Amino acid sequence: MNEEITVNEDGVEQIALRTYTQQAYLNYSMYVINDRALPSLGDGLKPVQRRIVYAMSELGLKASSKFKKSARTIGDVIGKFHPHGDSACYEAMVLMAQPFTYRYPLVDGQGNWGSQDDPKSFAAMRYTESRLQGYADVLLGELGQGTVDWKPNFDGTLDEPEMLPARLPNVLLNGGSGIAVGMATDIPPHNLREVAKACIHLLDSPKAKATDIFKIIKGPDYPTEAELITPKNEIQELYKTGRGSLKARATYEKENGEIIITALPFQVSGTKILEQIAAQMQKKKLPMVVDLRDESDHENPTRIVVVPKSNRVDMDSVMSHLFSTTDLEKNYRVNFNMIGIDKKPQVKDLVSLLKEWLQFRTETVKRRLQFRLDKILDRLHILDGLLVAYLNIDEVIKIVRTEDKPKPALVKKFKISERQADAILDLKLRQLAKLEEIKIKAEQKELNDERKGLETLLKSQARLKTFIKNEIKADAEKFGDDRKTPLVQRDEAKAFSETELISTEPVTIVLSERGWVRAAKGHEVDPTTLQYKSGDGYKLSARGKSSQLAIFVDSTGRAYSLAAHGLPSARGQGEPVSGKVNPPSGATFEGVLIGEDNQDVLLASDGGYGFVGKISDLISKNKSGKAVIRPPKGSQVLAAVSVADYKKNLIVAITNEGRMLMFPISELPRLAKGKGNKIISIPSARVAERIEFVVAMAVLSDKDTLTIHAGRRHHNLKPADLEHYQGERGRRGNKLPRGFQNVDRIDVLRKEEAE
């Protein structure tokens, strides 16, 4: 909205605040986009970088020169071209000197210029010295040859180049990143030889497809030797759109049972990696690693040693976990956003970028050739005038000696231009020798030959392309190197699950009558001897491993899962299970199980119904549990019992009436949940009124002994004795001997235990 500027009575201009702020912010935005944050397509530099490189060239700091204090360079940069903070300007210069930051550094630094561990640990500019790298000649070599436009500096006292005449697409070679207003750029570095080859291919075949270029430029090439693991199709899609992301991963070797990390991803600090791995070790999240060392030195810039606990540890799995949980694997944003030839910011795809740069290069070469041609024509023009003078030397001397104004006389007499007349008048006496005439004719011939060559070159598109191509080849030969970043296809990194990180130790899960739980180390502990709270006592226990899940079954038939390693220690009195899960109101915990997922378990109610399930059927991540058993009306859930062998084991059920039935457990169905089938026959009316119900249930083999406890008395039933109670599933069963019909509990003595 553009309100007009008004003038008040005092002659002061007034403008709406909205209009002013919009205009001011827009101007600021355009400045940040065009003159600060985004690199130019032509030379791949931001203004501060361009000014640093130009100022160094003006100071004569070529690759063959002596080093000069960096403060001298920065002084010139901020004093002549870039009126900003010296620290920010110096930091930009430092980045251009760091071989781990720039793929092809522009500045050659002497002193402390930072390290990969801490790129900002560089010394102050008063201590360091610098000069340009040889590669900087790619940007500066043609600067004084009419190749680029110039503009006044900030105070109008000097001129500076708007762009440097780059002979290679530096915007791709060194990349760059920056945040402007409303846009950003993240261009990864690339290999010089690959990019040069792609440019040559496009010069030969301007209509080449993207797929042809992808065969040459396979992916970015970072300064570090870490692997680029982004799939080929994703990299190609990134090049087609100009946007995407890349993933780099550290490289490692196995040496004498140890893991040696030899290269880190771009811009990743080795110190930070050590801290991240050490933090996991301290928190016991990496139990399979016992030691960590940093053996990096000048010969091995990156050498981090990870020592596994034993030879049985899978090193590749450990590294996969570390890739997933540390900066050993890093993602990089990619956004080919830059200032184009038209001086407008735009995100460009790879092929468009290269084609546009070749337009820039072609125009630069044309300007350079035309500049040289103009110089030659000017010199030939002067040589023609000098030749006239030598052929008529006596008359020239006479005119100079006798005429008050010899210049117009010379012009009139010999029909030469004023520029030629000036050249004749500037001759020194010693140049009037006969030998000079021969030199002039030789120079004329040489220049005429060069002129013809330049004119032919400028008129022929084919010859011009070949000329540009040869120059690119020469630079690629001089400054190119092998790819540093290998392109590798790798599986996705996977962190260890919580159970994998837990050391597997035998544990005994103990449940009290009031529903308190604890985990005792080992299987030798006698849970009945543990201390319990007043009014509480031992109820159930289960033996398993610390890496497994403990399953609790409540009186409503719901099952709950808790990690065994997360349960309180048996040194204390434990914690209520209800504090860790959300059972229905009034529910009590009647069963505890622990084992492998495929472990068979008997799930039953005291109404005489049950089925065989697996522990995996009982696992639930929900705190509210999972409905598993549906007890008949009036009945209650019995403690779940482990089944060692579904095909061979027997089930024993005893009611409060003293009836006992035994049959093969395989006669019960396998179910994931439900009521189950009838185990022992009890009239439903008697179950509903709690007159008759199952008081004990056990699973045993045909060689085990069953001990029945009734008050203070107990009775051992050996395999031969048990045959009397064997029958078909769902029968009433036989009565136990008199005096043992009021059963409290039953124990199974395994054959191996008896022996």
Side-chain angles (χ1 to χ4, degrees), residues 207-371:
K207 293 182 180 179
K209 294 179 181 177
T211 48
D212 299 328
I213 302 302
F214 298 155
K215 290 175 184 175
I216 302 168
I217 301 178
K218 296 182 175 73
D221 186 23
Y222 289 101
T224 65
E225 294 174 7
E227 298 172 345
L228 194 64
I229 61 166
T230 307
K232 184 179 176 182
N233 61 318
E234 288 184 28
I235 295 176
Q236 292 182 357
E237 188 60 31
L238 177 157
Y239 282 148
K240 285 176 185 175
T241 60
R243 282 195 179 96
S245 65
L246 295 165
K247 192 176 285 185
R249 184 181 283 185
T251 56
Y252 67 96
E253 299 169 356
K254 298 168 190 174
E255 190 178 292
N256 300 325
E258 297 176 336
I259 302 167
I260 314 294
I261 299 168
T262 55
L264 298 176
F266 180 54
Q267 292 179 333
V268 169
S269 159
T271 305
K272 189 177 179 183
I273 293 294
L274 289 164
E275 288 172 0
Q276 289 174 333
I277 299 174
Q280 289 192 36
M281 291 171 70
Q282 286 170 359
K283 291 176 183 175
K284 297 184 178 177
K285 290 187 175 180
L286 212 55
M288 63 288 295
V289 173
V290 293
D291 194 16
L292 180 67
R293 299 193 304 272
D294 184 9
E295 296 182 354
S296 305
D297 53 29
H298 290 294
E299 288 183 10
N300 303 290
T302 301
R303 186 179 168 86
I304 296 171
V305 183
V306 179
V307 184
K309 196 172 186 177
S310 70
N311 291 332
R312 293 190 303 274
V313 172
D314 185 349
M315 296 186 192
D316 293 327
S317 296
V318 171
M319 286 306 296
S320 181
H321 169 78
L322 293 175
F323 290 141
S324 179
T325 56
T326 69
D327 285 347
L328 285 172
E329 183 174 293
K330 191 173 180 183
N331 285 324
Y332 301 93
R333 286 193 314 271
V334 176
N335 185 7
F336 284 100
N337 193 5
M338 62 196 75
I339 308 295
I341 295 175
D342 57 2
K343 298 185 179 178
K344 292 178 183 177
Q346 189 185 357
V347 177
K348 301 181 187 294
D349 64 271
L350 181 65
V351 177
S352 299
L353 189 159
L354 289 171
K355 284 182 176 179
E356 194 169 332
W357 183 82
L358 285 170
Q359 288 176 21
F360 164 80
R361 181 62 191 154
T362 304
E363 186 58 36
T364 303
V365 171
K366 278 183 178 178
R367 288 181 66 165
R368 190 187 87 209
L369 296 176
Q370 189 61 53
F371 179 81

Side-chain angles (χ1 to χ4, degrees), residues 380-494:
L380 284 171
H381 181 63
I382 288 168
L383 289 175
D384 286 342
L386 291 177
L387 200 58
V388 168
Y390 282 115
L391 293 173
N392 303 280
I393 190 68
D394 293 333
E395 289 184 59
V396 169
I397 292 169
K398 185 180 176 183
I399 289 170
V400 171
R401 288 185 67 187
T402 57
E403 295 288 339
D404 291 334
K405 294 182 179 179
K407 183 177 173 180
L410 287 171
V411 170
K412 185 179 179 182
K413 174 69 176 174
F414 300 110
K415 294 182 174 56
I416 58 176
S417 67
E418 290 188 7
R419 181 138 170 68
Q420 289 173 319
D422 284 334
I424 292 168
L425 293 170
D426 288 340
L427 281 172
K428 293 177 182 177
L429 279 173
R430 66 177 174 216
Q431 289 177 310
L432 298 177
K434 179 70 178 171
L435 192 63
E436 287 298 321
E437 184 183 337
I438 299 166
K439 285 182 181 178
I440 288 169
K441 286 181 178 176
E443 188 180 348
Q444 269 184 327
K445 184 180 184 307
E446 188 180 331
L447 290 176
N448 270 315
D449 291 342
E450 190 178 348
R451 175 183 61 79
K452 287 174 186 175
L454 289 172
E455 285 173 347
T456 306
L457 203 54
L458 284 166
K459 285 174 186 175
S460 170
Q461 284 287 96
R463 291 191 182 192
L464 187 63
K465 276 186 183 180
T466 305
F467 182 75
I468 294 168
K469 201 163 62 177
N470 290 336
E471 286 192 337
I472 291 173
K473 276 182 184 175
D475 283 329
E477 187 68 33
K478 186 175 181 181
F479 300 109
D481 57 4
D482 294 332
R483 168 177 275 279
K484 286 190 175 183
T485 302
L487 298 164
V488 186
Q489 197 76 30
R490 298 286 186 199
D491 293 332
E492 191 174 344
K494 187 181 176 185

Side-chain angles (χ1 to χ4, degrees), residues 552 554 557-561 581-584 618-628:
F552 299 88
D554 71 9
R558 298 186 75 81
Y560 309 85
S561 311
V581 295
N582 299 327
L618 311 180
I619 294 171
S620 169
K621 292 182 180 178
N622 195 333
K623 278 195 169 187
S624 298
K626 179 181 185 182
V628 179

Side-chain angles (χ1 to χ4, degrees), residues 598-602 612 641-650 665 670 699-701 704 750 752:
N598 61 353
Q599 170 73 51
D600 286 326
V601 289
L602 170 65
V612 175
V641 184
S642 292
V643 178
D645 190 334
Y646 176 69
K647 292 181 179 179
K648 294 181 180 179
N649 281 171
L650 302 164
I665 198 168
R670 284 185 181 273
V699 175
L700 68 165
S701 76
D704 294 340
R750 308 289 177 196
E752 57 269 20

Side-chain angles (χ1 to χ4, degrees), residues 656-726:
N656 62 335
E657 296 283 326
R659 289 185 172 276
M660 185 169 100
L661 177 68
M662 183 175 78
F663 61 88
I665 198 168
S666 57
E667 292 183 15
L668 283 178
R670 284 185 181 273
L671 298 173
K673 62 179 181 178
K675 177 181 174 183
N677 285 12
K678 188 180 285 188
I679 296 172
I680 188 167
S681 179
I682 305 172
S684 56
R686 291 174 67 84
V687 172
E689 294 176 17
R690 300 295 294 169
I691 296 171
E692 187 177 353
F693 49 86
V694 175
V695 292
M697 203 173 282
V699 175
L700 68 165
S701 76
D702 58 0
K703 294 176 182 176
D704 294 340
T705 299
L706 188 71
T707 304
I708 299 169
H709 296 267
R712 293 184 177 181
R713 302 173 68 188
H714 69 274
H715 179 47
N716 291 330
L717 295 171
K718 294 183 178 178
D721 304 324
L722 289 169
E723 288 179 10
H724 174 67
Y725 300 95
Q726 190 154 353

Side-chain angles (χ1 to χ4, degrees), residues 123-134:
M125 58 185 171
R126 61 181 176 274
Y127 300 119
T128 61
E129 296 179 338
S130 56
R131 65 184 177 191
L132 289 168
Q133 288 273 16

Side-chain angles (χ1 to χ4, degrees), residues 51-92:
R51 287 162 176 166
I52 290 168
V53 171
Y54 176 63
M56 290 182 80
S57 73
E58 287 295 286
L59 282 168
L61 296 176
K62 293 181 180 178
S64 55
S65 307
K66 287 184 179 179
F67 288 94
K68 277 188 183 175
K69 284 287 182 188
S70 302
R72 174 79 185 276
T73 300
I74 299 303
D76 265 30
V77 173
I78 63 176
K80 292 180 178 179
F81 310 112
H82 199 71
H84 295 270
D86 60 336
S87 58
C89 192
Y90 179 51
E91 191 169 328

